[in-house]
Amino acid sequence: DNHVPQQTSITNARATLKRVFGYDQFRPLQAEIIQGLIEGQDAFVLMPTGGGKSLCYQIPALHREGVAIIVSPLISLMKDQVDALQANGVSSAYYNSSLGSREARQILAKLHAGELDLLYIAPERLLSEEFLLRLKEIPIALFAIDEAHCISEWGHDFRPEYTQLGQLRTVFPEVPVIALTATAETH
């Protein structure tokens, strides 16, 4: 009977929502998305800014074995997310061009030691051959592609790496992928 584990996973996720993030209940659709991801399903999430998109991958990251790899195009956004997660006691880091070589080495050491729940990374770093080889050596909880509109809206000129993220499915067929974007402004 599949029903029992599903109930357990969403009950546990709700406990994490309260304990780690301080919210009493999920917003519409969050629970279904979170439960699906915990169970290993892929998802595409379109929500308004401030709609709670990041919880859709942050909570499953804490309920699946391994590290969640969060692909984000914006260094400032990565820092804000990591600062907020660390303030809530979640082991997280970012790996991008803003780090000095010593800091970068420390983060990679934590990654290999299984000490991170979430790692935020720029797409060009993630898709480097060296980094993909690293990831093959460790358990990955999920991939989250934040600001997924970058794939289509600006096309190949903006971040060519975004169009190459489909490789993740080929290289890591067992790992669930969630792509997230804010609803477009209508003028």
Side-chain angles (χ1 to χ4, degrees):
D1 181 13
N2 273 348
H3 199 64
V4 178
Q6 288 184 345
Q7 208 46 51
T8 309
S9 68
I10 204 59
T11 304
N12 292 347
R14 198 169 280 115
T16 301
L17 179 74
K18 178 71 176 161
R19 188 184 75 250
V20 178
F21 299 97
Y23 298 112
D24 289 317
Q25 54 195 10
F26 290 115
R27 292 184 181 174
L29 302 179
Q30 278 181 329
E32 295 91 319
I33 294 162
I34 287 166
Q35 182 174 320
L37 206 54
I38 290 172
E39 293 170 6
Q41 299 165 16
D42 295 340
F44 179 79
V45 177
L46 182 66
M47 274 185 189
T49 303
K53 285 193 306 295
S54 49
L55 287 176
C56 291
Y57 60 78
Q58 289 171 344
I59 291 176
L62 301 176
H63 286 268
R64 287 182 58 85
E65 188 198 345
V67 61
I69 304 294
I70 319 305
V71 185
S72 175
L74 302 168
I75 285 175
S76 59
L77 195 73
M78 289 187 209
K79 182 172 177 5
D80 292 348
Q81 293 264 348
V82 168
D83 288 349
L85 285 165
Q86 289 178 346
N88 287 335
V90 176
S91 178
S92 55
Y94 53 85
Y95 185 65
N96 61 36
S97 57
S98 74
L99 299 173
S101 58
R102 189 166 149 266
E103 284 175 304
R105 279 197 305 276
Q106 288 172 334
I107 286 163
L108 292 175
K110 281 184 171 181
L111 178 69
H112 283 281
E115 294 170 13
L116 294 175
D117 287 316
L118 294 97
L119 179 68
Y120 286 76
I121 186 164
E124 53 273 21
R125 284 263 162 134
L126 169 64
L127 293 173
S128 74
E129 200 172 331
E130 178 200 359
F131 198 80
L132 288 173
L133 286 171
R134 275 183 192 283
L135 290 186
K136 289 188 129 188
E137 297 171 16
I138 59 173
I140 310 288
L142 59 96
F143 288 105
I145 300 166
D146 210 357
E147 309 297 329
H149 57 273
C150 293
I151 294 171
S152 60
E153 191 175 326
W154 294 296
H156 309 293
D157 305 332
F158 174 64
R159 275 282 175 81
E161 295 79 16
Y162 255 78
T163 61
Q164 297 160 22
L165 288 169
Q167 289 178 45
L168 295 176
R169 174 54 64 234
T170 313
V171 182
F172 303 96
E174 306 298 305
V175 179
V177 176
I178 179 172
L180 309 102
T181 190
T183 40
E185 297 293 317
T186 49
H187 297 289

